[in-house]
Amino acid sequence: MKQDRQTVVMDFTGIYEKEQFYKGEAFIWIDCRDIRGTNCYCDEEAETILKERIRQLGPEGIHFIDSGNYHYMTKLWTDKIQEPFVLILIDHHPDTQPSLFEGILSCGCWVGRMLEENSNVRKVVLLGAEDSLIEEIPEKYRSKIVSYNEEAVIHDQVWQDFRKKHIDAPVYLTIDKDVLDSSQVKTNWNQGKLKLQDLKKIIRLICLHERVIGVDISGECQGSILEETGRRDVEQDDRINAKLLYFLEDHERNLK
């Protein structure tokens, strides 16, 4: 990542106020809790407000974008990229389904919208999605999406062969923590089976071999902090976020 990297925290639900991972960092806090029309579906008014709130920021750096309900923020961040790029999507879901409300951006359709509207996207590399969901990717997107399931992506040689064939531009990396097993972290969507060490291995291979423009991370839990299970879920989120942030920053320092 570029040396002008920034750590951005976009708080839609209040979850990040209960976490500690970003404290001690030079971070940019964007409070989005006052914006109506953002939960799962981002209506036109909300989209306009969100674009304005990130207008002065570039796509570089590490962006924490709350739960998977707000994964559509990846589209808004990548709309800022001014060169051809490959999106690497580490997610248990392809996020290519049509929106239930035509013209409205959502957490389930944002990848399709990005492919339709952003001419700089050369390809989407989907890592860790469930096989049955990969099969449901609409035909019109299949020429621009290549995928490996969670068993394949953790093997070095598989990745080396894959990247040489499919990655021919700088990358933007987006990570939904629902790719992780529920023993690692709890999200509000069904989850994969990767362990944190597997995810870090994938990230390491990407950082070592590709020019990473920026990264975003979603998949926060939505448990109540007033409940014991909710507190544990938040603590898991906080711990995973801290490890991912340190890991990404450490790789950046080593690559300079």
Side-chain angles (χ1 to χ4, degrees):
M1 286 173 282
K2 294 183 179 181
Q3 293 191 16
D4 57 355
R5 177 197 61 77
Q6 60 213 352
T7 298
V8 178
V9 180
M10 301 192 72
D11 194 14
F12 288 87
T13 65
I15 186 69
Y16 291 124
E17 287 189 338
K18 304 166 186 174
E19 300 183 20
Q20 306 290 321
F21 70 91
Y22 54 88
K23 296 183 178 177
E25 292 282 322
F27 67 92
I28 298 169
W29 181 274
I30 304 178
D31 192 341
C32 303
R33 289 174 294 176
D34 63 316
I35 309 174
R36 301 179 63 181
T38 61
N39 189 13
C40 288
Y41 291 90
C42 181
D43 65 31
E44 292 182 7
E45 182 179 356
E47 186 174 344
T48 298
I49 296 171
L50 287 167
K51 286 179 178 178
E52 177 59 26
R53 292 205 179 169
I54 66 173
R55 180 174 57 85
Q56 295 185 335
L57 302 175
E60 299 82 14
I62 305 169
H63 315 98
F64 289 86
I65 56 176
D66 215 299
S67 82
N69 292 13
Y70 308 94
H71 203 168
Y72 57 75
M73 278 305 310
T74 301
K75 180 185 183 300
L76 302 190
W77 284 112
T78 54
D79 282 347
K80 293 173 167 286
I81 299 175
Q82 300 297 310
E83 61 182 313
F85 71 97
V86 172
L87 180 78
I88 299 183
L89 170 61
I90 303 178
D91 198 324
H92 194 54
H93 309 85
D95 293 348
T96 55
Q97 294 304 306
S99 176
L100 292 176
F101 306 100
E102 187 169 352
I104 300 296
L105 186 63
S106 79
C107 61
C109 78
W110 68 268
V111 173
R113 280 277 302 274
M114 186 186 68
L115 287 171
E116 293 171 4
E117 298 175 4
N118 192 333
S119 60
N120 279 324
V121 185
R122 286 192 174 177
K123 193 170 291 185
V124 173
V125 173
L126 174 60
L127 305 178
E130 185 177 324
D131 286 333
S132 62
L133 297 177
I134 292 173
E135 293 171 2
E136 295 177 2
I137 294 174
E139 186 64 36
K140 63 180 177 179
Y141 302 135
R142 289 181 179 270
S143 64
K144 282 287 191 79
I145 299 177
V146 291
S147 60
Y148 266 111
N149 63 23
E150 58 193 6
E151 284 80 20
V153 296
I154 61 174
H155 299 292
D156 286 32
Q157 191 56 52
V158 171
W159 176 256
Q160 291 296 348
D161 295 342
F162 182 83
R163 62 174 288 271
K164 290 175 183 177
K165 183 176 181 181
H166 295 293
I167 300 179
D168 58 354
V171 305
Y172 184 94
L173 173 61
T174 177
I175 302 163
D176 191 328
K177 289 183 291 186
D178 69 14
V179 77
L180 293 170
D181 189 88
S182 59
S183 65
Q184 308 286 287
V185 71
K186 296 289 195 307
T187 74
N188 61 324
W189 294 90
N190 65 312
Q191 295 181 223
K193 299 186 183 305
L194 288 182
K195 299 296 190 288
L196 178 61
Q197 63 186 26
D198 300 322
L199 177 57
K200 288 167 67 175
K201 183 176 181 179
I202 297 166
I203 295 171
R204 178 181 63 81
L205 290 171
I206 292 168
C207 290
L208 284 175
H209 297 292
E210 316 302 338
R211 177 163 75 85
V212 180
I213 297 170
V215 181
D216 64 52
I217 299 170
S218 62
E220 300 309 293
C221 70
Q222 292 193 320
S224 170
I225 194 67
L226 299 177
E227 301 170 0
E228 184 61 34
T229 54
R231 284 195 292 271
R232 287 198 300 268
D233 292 348
V234 172
E235 288 169 359
Q236 280 185 313
D237 259 330
D238 196 16
R239 185 165 55 252
I240 294 292
N241 286 340
K243 289 181 177 180
L244 289 175
L245 180 59
Y246 178 81
F247 188 71
L248 286 162
E249 288 182 332
D250 191 48
H251 269 285
E252 182 187 11
R253 285 190 292 268
N254 291 336
L255 291 173
K256 285 180 181 179

